Amino acid sequence: MTIKSICGQIEDVLETFDTVSLAELSQASLLNRIDTKFVVPLQTLYPILSAVSHVYRVLRMNGELLHGYRSLYFDTTDFDLYYQHHNQRRPRWKVRSRQYLSNNQAFFELKAKCANGRTSKQRIPTTTMVTAMTPETEAFLALHAPELCHRLQPKLWSEYRRATFIDPDGSERITIDTDLRFRSYHRMITLDHLAIIELKQTNAHRISPILQHLRAAGIRPRSFSKYCMGLLSLYPSLKHNTFKPSLRLIERIQEASYV
């Protein structure tokens, strides 16, 4: 099947879910959570989503179930934040400006992976997408991560489409990202043959319906950073020993997609 036909299948199955509004979803923001990620071939989404369509509700906003995201990641001249992740340091940071294309809301965000394994996110709204550090963003970093002040510059753009799901009691949120695109100011890479599933929970547990179906399909959790994978796609000279398993997985999925 072509990428286009697979995407059509995914859009069809999303229409079978009950929906949730942005206002309802915002009541369960899960800014402090446990994250579990999965990297899957795009064609596996349809059977997985079909199996859980009666369990979760999907975000519908402005009539759409798939929403465009645009992010700009910041790092130091020497990619210190990338190497924090590569060297598996905790705490470690990601800094980005993000725009939600469905409603044009924009935020400047600081995301931390804490020593206890939890993910914490702080953010402030911005009138437009931030493409260079400003006094406002510097003040925000000074409050939450002062060691990053006056050191950051834009490094990587990313764009993708996201479907967002929530369970009945609001303790579990799922995001599924497709049509990934990464670009710097001189090059663009597209990863449209895979999907990133992220399970976000207040506390990790094993009774998650989607987790059960992923396990039944032989799909296991994997550490995966869109920022790090995007950087390596555009800056292959960066040290990447830690990320070789993820890079090989992407290659295998890509090769299988063109068989």
Side-chain angles (χ1 to χ4, degrees):
M1 297 180 66
T2 65
I3 295 293
K4 183 177 180 180
S5 61
I6 295 171
C7 290
Q9 279 190 334
I10 294 169
E11 292 173 5
D12 288 343
V13 75
L14 288 177
E15 291 289 351
T16 68
F17 283 73
D18 290 335
T19 60
V20 61
S21 69
L22 181 60
E24 292 175 281
L25 191 72
S26 298
Q27 295 175 7
S29 58
L30 299 184
L31 295 181
N32 189 296
R33 66 204 186 216
I34 298 292
D35 290 345
T36 310
K37 294 181 181 180
F38 305 84
V39 183
V40 303
L42 189 66
Q43 61 265 29
T44 65
L45 282 187
Y46 179 80
I48 291 171
L49 289 173
S50 297
V52 299
S53 61
H54 63 291
V55 179
Y56 300 97
R57 292 187 292 165
V58 63
L59 173 64
R60 185 185 293 274
M61 184 166 53
N62 297 332
E64 299 178 353
L65 301 177
L66 284 164
H67 309 106
Y69 280 55
R70 180 180 293 133
S71 298
L72 176 59
Y73 288 88
F74 292 78
D75 208 328
T76 68
T77 301
D78 297 323
F79 297 97
D80 289 347
L81 302 190
Y82 165 84
Y83 281 113
Q84 282 183 1
H85 198 291
H86 179 274
N87 298 332
Q88 301 182 9
R89 283 186 52 191
R90 292 184 182 178
R92 60 177 179 257
W93 312 100
K94 286 193 182 81
V95 179
R96 68 190 176 206
S97 175
R98 170 166 286 178
Q99 183 180 25
Y100 300 89
L101 302 183
S102 294
N103 59 12
N104 287 322
Q105 284 189 325
F107 295 88
F108 185 79
E109 300 180 342
L110 174 68
K111 190 175 180 181
K113 175 70 77 171
C114 304
N116 61 4
R118 298 186 70 87
T119 298
S120 176
K121 186 167 74 173
Q122 308 286 338
R123 67 182 189 178
I124 53 173
T126 56
T127 54
T128 60
M129 193 168 184
V130 174
T131 58
M133 299 300 293
T134 67
E136 181 184 22
T137 59
E138 292 285 6
F140 171 74
L141 290 179
L143 181 62
H144 298 289
E147 65 270 32
L148 300 180
C149 281
H150 311 299
R151 300 177 56 209
L152 301 182
Q153 56 189 248
K155 287 293 187 181
L156 176 77
W157 291 88
S158 74
E159 295 184 5
Y160 50 89
R161 296 200 302 166
R162 170 172 286 185
T164 302
F165 308 82
I166 193 166
D167 71 341
D169 65 8
S171 63
E172 180 176 302
R173 184 185 291 195
I174 301 159
T175 60
I176 299 180
D177 298 340
T178 58
D179 194 21
L180 276 72
R181 300 172 186 271
F182 302 109
R183 61 183 172 91
S184 62
Y185 289 100
H186 62 281
R187 189 180 177 201
M188 186 173 80
I189 296 291
T190 298
L191 299 178
D192 57 1
H193 54 282
L194 57 79
I196 311 301
I197 301 174
E198 188 167 358
L199 176 60
K200 307 172 184 184
Q201 301 169 296
T202 52
N203 292 289
H205 57 75
R206 298 188 177 183
I207 60 174
S208 164
I210 195 168
L211 185 55
Q212 291 176 329
H213 286 284
L214 288 165
R215 285 176 173 166
I219 300 169
R220 298 292 179 258
R222 177 175 295 274
S223 176
F224 188 92
S225 163
K226 289 192 288 293
Y227 175 58
C228 294
M229 291 302 104
L231 275 184
L232 286 176
S233 298
L234 298 168
Y235 302 93
S237 62
L238 289 171
K239 183 179 178 181
H240 58 272
N241 293 349
T242 299
F243 301 125
K244 283 183 178 179
S246 293
L247 292 170
R248 285 196 294 267
L249 176 62
I250 291 173
E251 290 174 359
R252 289 197 301 270
I253 291 174
Q254 185 174 20
E255 289 170 358
S257 298
Y258 293 106
V259 171

